[in-house]
Amino acid sequence: MSTISISHLRKTYGQFVAVDDLSIEIPTGTVYGLLGPNGAGKTSTFKCMLGLANCGLGQIAYDGQPLAPATFERIAYVPERAVLYDHLTVAEHFEMTRRAFKKFDVKRATELVGQFGVDPRKRARALSKGMKTATMVAIAFAREPDFLILDEPTSGLDPVNQRSVLNLIINEATRGCTILFSSHQIGQVERAAERIAILQNGRLALEGAVDDLKADRKIVEGILPSEDYSVNGFAADRRIARVDKQGRILRLTVVHEPDEIANQLAATGAQGVRVVDLNLEDIFIGAVAPDTSNAVVVEGAN
Amino acid sequence: MAYVEWLRVKKTLIVLSIVLAALFLIVVVVRISANSEFGPGRLNSMIGSGATVVSTQPVPGGTRTVYKAANGDTVTVTDRGADGVSGIVTGPTVDAKKSKNQHVRIGPFSMTASKSEVEFETNGPLDVGMVFAYLTLFGAIIATVLAAPLARENERLEVAWTKPVDRTLYALQLYGVDIAGILAAMLMMLVACIAAYTLFQIPHLTLTSDGALHALAAIVACTAWYTMYAALTSWMKRGFGAFIGIAWPVGIFVPGLALIPMTGTAVGATFHWFFQIISVLDPLAYVHLTSGIPRHDIGLGGIDEPLKILILAALALVYAGAGLIEWRRVEA
């Protein structure tokens, strides 16, 4: 049984369809990355999952049960925008959380904000954006929830604290927590997530285990003899899913026989030809490109 | 769950206590500086210059003095010290008021004029309920300070609505904390009023059924005023402060406009009708305090207290419910 199940979710704002027929299963203890360009429907999905927005159609279930007030004892949420009470201190936010939830470790929360360099005696209005995010993250993790839903949890944080948050995510997952998070930092998602879903215009463009998605395809890259070298031959090749050319640099996303394609590229006089593993950024761009059914040439990409 | 609201109420009460302490201090200064007006010589100034003392005799709890005033009136005054002063005036100027036959009472001060004499009492029973009722407008100010708790939460629904509590229950908790805060504030003001009064005279505190009804009406009126804000603003994510600000002038002027007949023209009659309808929905329109003073039907304030309480309670419930329904439809 999946821990979090989203089934045929649809959310509209007037005529605008924010999420369309989205179905995702998130297994217990998984770190699940939700990716997509701006406006793809990630935050709307989170809001529907938490009942913060009314979803027109679809079902959300946590351990097979629909969302109920008691479910929030097990869910911690860090929204995209850090929503603290400006007139309260960080410590008062801890107290508020302690009173609201059965499980909240004030000591751990204090330690966490200390790691992020936040003074618990400070009022929220005096905190920077990153500090507010850090406070929300600390509160969420100090609750030791079963489900963590994190919408851009590293937004506004410096690289060191971003790394700390990622470590926290990974540690929580080892504890058995199921984590769904979104981030525009694809490298972070690649590091932490076991599975990903990529949304495009509210619809699910791609979903699966990161390792499987990476193993599926390879990148063949090289430096062409000249900038005006024609790559139409590669574009027509059915083994190639995508062609990216920027100046003399050519990157081919190859579905089958990457070594053979590499040899062909080398035969054109291209230099430095090599076969490399696909990274999540390649997967993401491949998924949200206008047409991935056939090989396409993207001039000036990257 | 309503911890943040409780903090807001606590802060409001702390500020109120500072304000009350400052006002009390001013009253203390006034009392000290005007000590002679409340000392042994105070009766001379009450009776006027030229009065002569006819007789003085001790009575239980004080002294009874008979004065002959310059205008020929006889004034019999019983001075009970800190317990107050009472007296009877007879004579030609009283006779001149034969047509008058009235009783005026403002709190503990009362005056009864008949064909032959005028009786006065400076420290009669002080109805706690009525004093409480006089604080209605101040209670409404506190209600305004604490107003719009749901609209305030709208900026942080991601926090408010991810707590393990039903939203209706959560909203009711917010209402409950605020209304308890309004009540506490009114009680603090009541205590401050009585304390200030005690600086001048020892109060004879009572609670009549009429006073209790007025006090209840005051609580319900403030509650209705508070929930009216909830109904007006609970759907708003920002800008609700403008609604809060504009509600006072509207709440005061609309009942006033409703009193003007304006029936000379069709337009005037329409306006009159419109303002009367709006007045029915305005909790402040029901605030009208009478005690001893002959009651005139001043708009909705003149209706009987039990009916007033029922209408205000209904308004409070409808406004609270409307605010709640609107709030449940808000999206983060």
Side-chain angles (χ1 to χ4, degrees):
Chain A
M1 183 170 59
S2 293
T3 303
I4 302 177
S5 171
I6 301 171
S7 178
H8 303 293
L9 184 68
R10 181 180 167 86
K11 170 65 187 168
T12 57
Y13 295 99
Q15 297 294 313
F16 177 71
V17 180
V19 183
D20 191 11
D21 196 29
L22 178 66
S23 296
I24 298 173
E25 301 277 322
I26 306 174
T28 304
T30 304
V31 179
Y32 199 100
L34 194 59
L35 294 170
N38 291 331
K42 303 184 294 295
T43 298
S44 293
T45 301
F46 289 142
K47 287 180 178 175
C48 288
M49 289 176 69
L50 296 161
L52 298 173
N54 303 315
C55 46
L57 291 170
Q59 280 97 41
I60 313 285
Y62 296 85
D63 280 346
Q65 299 297 315
L67 184 69
T71 315
F72 286 109
E73 284 287 4
R74 303 175 62 202
I75 300 175
Y77 173 51
V78 175
E80 182 182 20
R81 184 177 58 98
V83 283
L84 298 172
Y85 292 88
D86 284 344
H87 59 292
L88 298 193
T89 64
V90 172
E92 284 171 334
H93 279 90
F94 293 166
E95 179 61 15
M96 175 187 75
T97 312
R98 188 190 68 76
R99 287 170 183 244
F101 297 93
K102 288 177 186 166
K103 200 161 66 173
F104 179 68
D105 189 340
V106 176
K107 193 179 165 197
R108 176 159 162 74
T110 308
E111 284 171 5
L112 285 173
V113 291
Q115 282 177 27
F116 291 121
V118 178
D119 183 350
R121 294 167 300 180
K122 270 193 172 179
R123 293 196 187 280
R125 71 166 70 94
L127 300 179
S128 67
K129 187 191 174 199
M131 285 176 170
K132 286 180 181 176
T133 303
T135 303
M136 302 262 343
V137 167
I139 289 171
F141 281 88
R143 286 191 40 221
E144 294 190 3
D146 295 333
F147 313 109
L148 253 173
I149 297 173
L150 311 167
D151 194 357
E152 302 279 352
T154 58
S155 174
L157 295 178
D158 60 52
V160 175
N161 285 332
Q162 286 182 13
R163 175 66 60 93
S164 299
V165 171
L166 279 188
N167 290 339
L168 283 170
I169 289 172
I170 293 165
N171 287 342
E172 280 298 293
T174 57
R175 189 178 59 78
C177 179
T178 303
I179 301 168
L180 172 62
F181 82 109
S182 73
S183 176
H184 283 297
Q185 305 283 330
I186 292 177
Q188 293 175 359
V189 179
E190 185 164 26
R191 181 167 168 237
E194 296 156 61
R195 296 183 70 86
I196 59 158
I198 297 173
L199 297 184
Q200 168 77 336
N201 297 326
R203 297 187 70 90
L204 187 63
L206 188 71
E207 199 270 341
V210 174
D211 289 343
D212 292 347
L213 293 171
K214 282 183 179 175
D216 216 22
R217 298 174 182 195
K218 294 283 183 187
I219 294 289
V220 174
E221 61 182 15
I223 302 169
L224 294 170
S226 64
E227 276 196 33
D228 54 357
Y229 190 88
S230 172
V231 293
N232 288 342
F234 292 113
D237 194 322
R238 311 255 335 150
R239 296 170 298 178
I240 298 171
R242 184 183 179 90
V243 178
D244 294 307
K245 179 171 171 280
Q246 184 179 34
R248 290 173 60 201
I249 299 170
L250 183 69
R251 278 172 67 85
L252 306 171
T253 306
V254 181
V255 183
H256 300 297
E257 301 171 345
D259 293 332
E260 179 64 27
I261 299 291
N263 290 337
Q264 284 182 20
L265 181 58
T268 64
Q271 296 173 334
V273 175
R274 58 179 184 158
V275 178
V276 295
D277 288 335
L278 208 63
N279 61 32
L280 198 53
E281 189 178 349
D282 296 314
I283 295 171
F284 177 79
I285 291 169
V288 301
D291 179 9
T292 55
S293 59
N294 294 304
V296 291
V297 179
V298 181
E299 294 284 353
N302 300 320
Chain B
M1 290 295 169
Y3 174 67
V4 177
E5 203 60 19
W6 151 240
L7 288 180
R8 217 153 67 83
V9 168
K10 192 171 88 171
K11 187 179 170 188
T12 303
L13 294 181
I14 288 170
V15 171
L16 176 65
S17 63
I18 292 168
V19 170
L20 290 177
L23 289 174
F24 185 77
L25 204 61
I26 291 170
V27 176
V28 169
V29 171
V30 168
R31 175 66 181 86
I32 292 168
S33 58
N35 192 43
S36 60
E37 298 298 320
F38 300 94
R42 61 182 168 175
L43 296 177
N44 292 336
S45 60
M46 288 172 69
I47 294 159
S49 59
T52 55
V53 176
V54 177
S55 66
T56 302
Q57 67 177 105
V59 293
T63 307
R64 179 168 295 153
T65 307
V66 178
Y67 294 88
K68 193 71 179 177
N71 59 11
D73 285 348
T74 301
V75 185
T76 306
V77 175
T78 303
D79 185 357
R80 305 190 303 273
D83 204 24
V85 176
S86 60
I88 298 172
V89 183
T90 56
T93 60
V94 175
D95 291 340
K97 296 172 185 168
K98 275 182 183 173
S99 58
K100 309 272 182 174
N101 194 353
Q102 59 181 357
H103 176 73
V104 175
R105 185 171 168 196
I106 302 170
F109 178 82
S110 64
M111 189 179 76
T112 305
S114 67
K115 290 179 180 175
S116 57
E117 63 182 25
V118 175
E119 280 187 58
F120 66 87
E121 167 63 61
T122 63
N123 193 20
L126 183 63
D127 192 333
V128 176
M130 285 308 303
V131 177
F132 191 87
Y134 284 125
L135 298 169
T136 306
L137 287 181
F138 297 101
I141 292 170
I142 298 296
T144 307
V145 172
L146 297 174
L150 304 183
R152 287 176 211 277
E153 290 292 294
N154 285 345
E155 292 177 359
R156 303 170 193 87
L157 286 179
E158 292 90 341
V159 173
W161 282 1
T162 54
K163 292 177 181 172
V165 62
D166 179 76
R167 285 172 195 174
T168 301
L169 187 61
Y170 183 62
L172 292 177
Q173 286 176 349
L174 298 183
Y175 284 163
V177 169
D178 285 342
I179 291 167
I182 295 166
L183 187 58
M186 291 178 79
L187 286 171
M188 285 167 64
M189 290 188 275
L190 175 69
V191 170
C193 285
I194 292 171
Y197 183 93
T198 307
L199 291 174
F200 299 92
Q201 302 182 107
I202 296 168
H204 299 152
L205 300 179
T206 60
L207 179 61
T208 64
S209 57
D210 192 39
L213 278 176
H214 274 84
L216 185 58
I219 295 168
V220 182
C222 291
T223 305
W225 185 246
Y226 166 83
T227 56
M228 184 193 73
Y229 280 118
L232 285 173
T233 62
S234 63
W235 56 277
M236 302 174 82
K237 287 197 172 177
R238 54 185 67 88
F240 54 85
F243 270 75
I244 292 173
I246 208 168
W248 268 94
V250 172
I252 289 170
F253 284 115
V254 164
L257 290 170
L259 293 175
I260 303 169
M262 296 189 286
T263 49
T265 62
V267 175
T270 305
F271 273 111
H272 181 60
W273 174 83
F274 173 75
F275 288 130
Q276 280 193 318
I277 295 291
I278 299 295
S279 287
V280 172
L281 303 173
D282 176 8
L284 288 188
Y286 297 85
V287 177
H288 174 60
L289 303 165
T290 57
S291 175
I293 300 171
R295 173 178 285 187
H296 304 290
D297 283 339
I298 301 174
L300 296 164
I303 62 176
D304 287 338
E305 221 59 23
L307 180 59
K308 186 191 288 187
I309 291 167
L310 281 177
I311 295 172
L312 284 168
L315 282 179
L317 285 174
V318 168
Y319 287 147
L324 193 55
I325 291 167
E326 287 165 16
W327 194 54
R328 288 184 63 96
R329 295 175 61 189
V330 175
E331 295 191 352

